[in-house]
Amino acid sequence: MGTDSVAAPAGWDELASAALLGSQRGVRTGSLPPAELLDAAAVLAVARRAGIRPRRIAPQDLGSAASTPAEPAGSETATGSAPAQDGPGSESGPEPGPCASARSGTGRLDVLRSGFAEPDPQTGTTQPDTARDLARSAPALATGPRLTRPDPMPVDPRPLISPAAALRLRAILDGYQKYLPEWLATARATGCRIPPVFFPELLDLTRNNALIRADVTELLGGPGRWLAALNPSWAFFLRPPADPPLPASAPVRRVAAPVADFTAEARRLLGRPKNSNDLYNLVMRQPGLWPEEGVRLLIEYVAAHRYPVVNEVGLRIDGGMPTARSSDWAIEQLQRTIGDHAPLHLRRLVQELLEEPPRPGAEATNPVVDLYEILDALTFRADMHEELNARRRTPAHPEGRSH
Amino acid sequence: MSPQPSKILLMAANPEDGSERRAPVPSDPASRGRAPAAKRSPAPDPAGPGARDQKAATAARRRAEQRAERITAGLGDLELWLGDQIRTGLTTLKRAGYREIDEQARRLVDAQAPGVAGMVRELAGALADEDWADRTLTEFALLHLLVQGWRHRAALPDPLAATVRRRIGLTSTSAEVARVGEHVADDWLVLGSRDTFQDKLIERRTWLHGRASERIALLLSYAPPGQSPGPAPLVGGTLSLELVFVPEAAPLRAVVLHPDEMAAQVAPDPDDPAQLSQEVDIQSPACLAAGATLDELAERFAATLAVDPWTSGVPGVVAQAELGFDAAEDAWWVLDRVGSSMVPLTVPGEKVDRLRYQLLAACSGRPVALFGEYRPSGFTPITVFGDGGAVSV
């Protein structure tokens, strides 16, 4: 390898051609040793990348501040989204300049050759004048894109949720969507708004879940409708919600209505000695938050299943009630459901049960119920509420910004 | 621009020209192995470490030398392979498919040069690209340059030699960096944070901007699958830290000198409502100071290339960015309202449409400060400093 190769007269195209066909068969480079070809290519490759510059914005590139919103990618109704004022090749087109093409999203480097001057292999610099001349000689390629910009999003004067609450929403969307309805309802009650970056995911979820529609509509407000108008997939969001939210034929409506006295029914089922999933069915049909008394019964019942030996002895629940025996599956579902729906202040009860010393005779047995799972879920939800309500309790906090 | 490739190639041609060379960086095991004997084996100091420590140091040096030999052998094979492909033509390689590339990458992993192995694997993507001939030749040229850089690292300036080592896959410990790197204590604005899954590890990249130093730093942390690299700093928040920059040609990577201080600042007190409701002041001078135009980012990228020819992009904040949509090409652009220029919007991953709309929503149709990576192919947003605060996209 010699230094002469750095100043090789061959340009990039010649080197690429030779590399493509084989270095010994280059049309203009002749027989060039691979090392020398790569030496020259290294200098040119770096200089080429260094020479790429952003494209100048010309008035012709932009839509008229977008009285028409931008059409979504891949939309079949892209009419009106390209307010072309000058056709390709127009003399009043954008000032040509070196740029990469706009095949966005793919990360492909696709340099428009007409707008890119080969850099001087000695200095590694490009020659703007040459680039401009080349671009003018190929006006069809040099014409810039016709861009559309959406109207500005409507201002939402409500305060923004805290960053911690936004992080929690991120976590819920990523992996704990079962808590989303509760989060949305709580956030709606605070009167805050949520960062617009969450709008696309919430709109996608709302499309298939009418139960959260009202909360999402309220939380997203005008900015949400602004975004929904830009994507035909979210057109449903612009229509008034159907009333009632669920059709009468929905499966959830076919099950028996929740019992009026949840606590009494729970106590009755707990008193049955047979293995049954009735208790699980009862709690799964209970909408919203449960009455505290009923949940206390359930928590103590689940706690009693921590130690099988206790199960055999029988735990005293509410005055000598015998302990029902349920399948492991039902117990597991029960403990999850308690964690997800129980009133949050009952977290203390779970904590107390966890701190209780093992009952006599139960030390050597393995627990079959993990109260920590209930506690984790309750803590997650408690943190969720805390973050959302922290702003309301911080009087010194300024009003939400708006543009 | 002062193209570093020319410098590397010139030094490769004239290895005796080591006028710019300074003392080797302590973390350079390979260079240390090539240093004069007096430096390799300093006389025992009665006040210095004991014989046991010396023995351990000798063993570590021997391991480093062995690794350097393996890397040299692996890169020698790679050089032959590159030459063969150029000689027979890249079309032959394209026809051969991924297997040959994968085989070459495996050999480089065996040679303990994981950085080069990663570059070789990227050849598969280059060969599948629409502009595959240009891209593949570019990747070949950069690999060739890296081989030359490693072979003649003793003649390179220290920062460039350090860059070559890192690109090869030789890393330094935090203690080594703390010993030789540049210390910068500052209030650091968290510009962005991103977790990716690479090489069976979760990699967290956190970008910071120094309020006084006006420097951008990149922190890296790793965790095995299923575990977290630790609490992520709040994007848009500020951390008071002393960082140590890894001494390289284009210093960007840094380590935290006192990790405990960072941990204390990153984890908010859940009992403090004020902390939970803390909002990022996106109009703060610190945030706006990090802003630049796309032209300035292009200049910064070119300047970085001049000292680190393998750079793929530079981080930066576009102070007044907007999005534009080109319906004819189904393409999105990032518009710089200050510099009156634009580049394509590049979005990694599979959920491209959702990310585009997230970005559109976060920008809210108004000029916002947009942090991301500028590359020749376009701008990849990482954080939007907009109406919704500082949000990662």
Side-chain angles (χ1 to χ4, degrees), chain B residues 44-378:
Chain B
D45 184 353
R52 196 172 173 181
D53 290 342
Q54 276 192 339
K55 196 173 178 181
T58 306
R61 190 164 56 238
R62 191 178 303 127
R63 284 196 299 275
E65 288 170 359
Q66 287 171 348
R67 181 175 182 184
E69 287 168 8
R70 279 193 214 105
I71 291 172
T72 302
L75 294 186
D77 290 344
L78 174 66
E79 191 175 25
L80 282 174
W81 184 77
L82 291 174
D84 287 346
Q85 305 312 313
I86 292 293
R87 193 174 294 109
T88 55
L90 294 177
T91 47
T92 309
L93 178 63
K94 187 174 172 64
R95 280 198 298 269
Y98 182 69
R99 182 178 292 179
E100 191 162 347
I101 292 171
D102 192 48
E103 179 65 28
Q104 191 60 39
R106 282 173 197 274
R107 282 188 205 140
L108 286 162
V109 170
D110 291 343
Q112 297 185 292
V116 194
M119 289 176 70
V120 168
R121 286 203 180 93
E122 287 178 9
L123 284 172
L127 283 167
D129 197 85
E130 190 176 304
D131 194 18
W132 70 271
D134 273 4
R135 265 202 66 190
T136 308
L137 179 57
T138 300
E139 300 290 339
F140 264 59
L142 293 176
L143 278 167
H144 172 75
L145 197 61
L146 193 53
V147 172
Q148 301 309 316
W150 172 258
R151 179 166 294 160
H152 303 286
R153 61 194 181 282
L156 295 176
D158 284 344
L160 183 57
T163 300
V164 168
R165 283 194 302 276
R166 202 247 304 166
R167 297 284 178 188
I168 293 283
L170 289 167
T171 55
S172 305
T173 64
S174 296
E176 287 173 329
V177 173
R179 202 164 56 244
V180 298
E182 180 187 2
H183 292 232
V184 181
D186 205 341
D187 289 334
W188 300 90
L189 172 72
V190 182
L191 287 174
S193 181
R194 177 161 285 177
D195 289 359
T196 54
F197 193 73
Q198 286 188 349
D199 296 334
K200 300 177 183 175
L201 284 176
I202 298 171
E203 180 189 83
R204 171 169 297 159
R205 292 177 161 242
T206 304
W207 290 269
L208 308 171
H209 180 265
R211 188 188 297 266
S213 62
E214 296 190 355
R215 292 179 67 167
I216 291 182
L218 170 63
L219 305 181
L220 295 175
S221 52
Y222 299 92
Q227 295 184 29
S228 167
L234 188 64
V235 175
T238 304
L239 303 170
S240 295
L241 298 171
E242 182 171 353
L243 300 184
V244 187
F245 282 84
V246 178
E248 289 191 9
L252 176 66
R253 297 182 183 215
V255 298
V256 181
L257 188 61
H258 304 295
D260 292 347
E261 285 182 6
M262 180 169 175
Q265 295 178 64
V266 164
D269 181 1
D271 297 326
D272 184 356
Q275 275 194 24
L276 289 177
S277 62
Q278 179 193 8
E279 194 165 294
V280 176
D281 184 4
I282 60 169
Q283 303 300 329
S284 70
C287 178
L288 295 179
T293 65
L294 284 172
D295 287 314
E296 287 167 348
L297 291 183
E299 290 291 340
R300 195 182 298 170
F301 176 69
T304 305
L305 271 181
V307 294
D308 179 359
W310 303 278
T311 299
S312 58
V314 291
V317 179
V318 182
Q320 297 268 316
E322 277 186 295
L323 293 185
F325 177 64
D326 178 8
E329 291 288 331
D330 182 20
W332 295 51
W333 291 72
V334 175
L335 284 69
D336 169 18
R337 304 301 289 168
V338 176
S340 297
S341 57
M342 58 187 183
V343 295
L345 169 72
T346 52
V347 181
E350 297 171 354
K351 296 179 180 177
V352 173
D353 261 358
R354 174 175 287 183
L355 286 171
R356 285 172 170 177
Y357 279 104
Q358 280 182 340
L359 193 60
L360 190 61
C363 291
S364 66
R366 298 181 178 85
V368 294
L370 200 58
F371 169 71
E373 277 199 307
Y374 176 89
R375 299 168 186 269
S377 54

Side-chain angles (χ1 to χ4, degrees), chain A residues 17 33 73 102 104 129 144 147 198 271 304 316 331 350 352 373 384:
Chain A
S17 170
S104 61
D129 292 341
L147 299 184
F198 294 109
R316 190 182 68 82
I331 286 290
V350 180
E352 287 169 1
E373 189 169 329
M384 191 168 87

